Amino acid sequence: MSDPAVLIVDDEPAIRRLLRTTLASQDWRIAEAGTGEMALRMVMDSPPDIVLLDLGLPDRDGVDVLRRIRETNPTLPVVILSVRDDERGKVAALDAGADDYVTKPFSMAELVARLRNALRHALQQEGTIPLFVSGDLSVDLVRRQIFRDGTEIRLSPREWDILRMLVRYAGRVLTHQTIMGQLWGATGDVQQLRVYIRQIRQKIEIDPERPRHILTETGVGYRLVQI
């Protein structure tokens, strides 16, 4: 695979310079846009492998830019980078189709890891990878089997539906509303979802109180990580 191409969309030259320097040193190919309109033109003319998108753009709201990207390129990974750390803003961006959300100020190591996770998820979606393996956990989506350290784990039908959805979008933050909307429709209840997540963790995590596989994004939703 060639070096990944990232489109950095941010109106702050200092932020773009920091990102350009760090990512280029790790063999990323860099393109930059300082406005939403410029970003949309670049996505249309020469789609990158991934977009790193600031929400506070001078010409239009970043969530609107994200929705426009999703209209023309629904599978393009988009990671939000923003000073907004309120839960409502995160949920709005994730529900609009963002793959992940990183808040400024940020750790470059964490940002790069999240970019790579988003790219990995996109590649998995392009192919059909029925077996998810992460540390001591393996989930076979075809045979509907789950193993931890070689021991088979039994889930209820609803627990399986939730875990299967998390596997399909491994590495991506799924909001409460996204999960409930797909599995329960309009009748979903966040507390009910939390109960199911707790039950799944009791079965697949070595220490459910310190989960390694299913992580909580406080007030937002959940993410299945690949160890």
Side-chain angles (χ1 to χ4, degrees):
M1 178 180 176
S2 60
D3 297 336
V6 57
L7 172 60
I8 300 169
V9 187
D10 198 300
D11 65 328
E12 296 184 53
I15 294 292
R16 294 203 307 271
R17 184 166 56 251
L18 170 64
L19 294 169
R20 178 175 65 245
T21 301
T22 302
L23 293 173
S25 71
Q26 300 189 35
D27 298 325
W28 291 71
R29 291 178 290 127
I30 312 297
E32 299 178 32
T35 66
E37 287 298 330
M38 183 185 299
L40 291 172
R41 288 197 302 270
M42 294 174 73
V43 168
M44 287 289 294
D45 295 342
S46 182
D49 295 312
I50 190 167
V51 176
L52 185 57
L53 174 65
D54 179 29
L55 294 183
L57 299 173
D59 58 334
R60 60 194 309 165
D61 184 73
V63 174
D64 178 57
V65 173
L66 173 60
R67 291 194 180 104
R68 291 282 303 279
I69 290 174
R70 283 286 166 261
E71 289 173 3
T72 58
N73 199 328
T75 62
L76 176 64
V78 178
V79 173
I80 300 298
L81 182 62
S82 178
V83 294
R84 304 179 196 173
D85 61 356
D86 61 293
E87 293 174 0
R88 182 177 298 180
K90 290 182 180 180
V91 169
L94 292 165
D95 280 343
D99 291 82
D100 206 344
Y101 194 112
V102 179
T103 303
K104 299 177 182 177
F106 54 90
S107 156
M108 281 303 306
E110 178 186 2
L111 177 62
V112 171
R114 294 200 180 206
L115 288 171
R116 295 197 185 282
N117 279 338
L119 275 177
R120 182 162 53 243
H121 171 250
L123 291 172
Q124 289 174 342
Q125 291 294 91
E126 288 176 6
T128 303
I129 302 177
L131 182 64
F132 174 83
V133 179
S134 176
D136 60 351
L137 178 70
S138 65
V139 182
D140 190 322
L141 296 181
V142 175
R143 295 182 174 83
R144 296 173 65 98
Q145 290 180 312
I146 307 147
F147 293 89
R148 194 186 78 191
D149 268 344
T151 300
E152 187 167 7
I153 295 169
R154 300 291 184 181
L155 298 184
S156 70
R158 181 60 75 191
E159 291 167 354
W160 167 257
D161 289 341
I162 295 170
L163 183 61
R164 178 178 58 187
M165 186 174 177
L166 289 169
V167 167
R168 286 185 59 222
Y169 297 97
R172 177 174 173 177
V173 178
L174 296 182
T175 67
H176 299 127
Q177 293 301 324
T178 296
I179 298 172
M180 294 186 301
Q182 289 199 26
L183 299 182
W184 285 286
T187 62
D189 177 78
V190 173
Q191 187 55 41
Q192 184 182 28
L193 175 60
R194 288 179 178 137
V195 169
Y196 279 118
I197 291 292
R198 185 163 58 247
Q199 292 172 179
I200 296 170
R201 283 172 169 162
Q202 290 288 341
K203 296 177 180 181
I204 72 170
E205 300 281 3
I206 294 176
D207 183 355
E209 299 303 317
R210 295 178 177 81
R212 299 185 306 153
H213 299 296
I214 301 177
L215 303 186
T216 298
E217 297 286 338
T218 304
V220 177
Y222 300 98
R223 176 209 312 269
L224 180 69
V225 298
Q226 196 155 25
I227 301 170

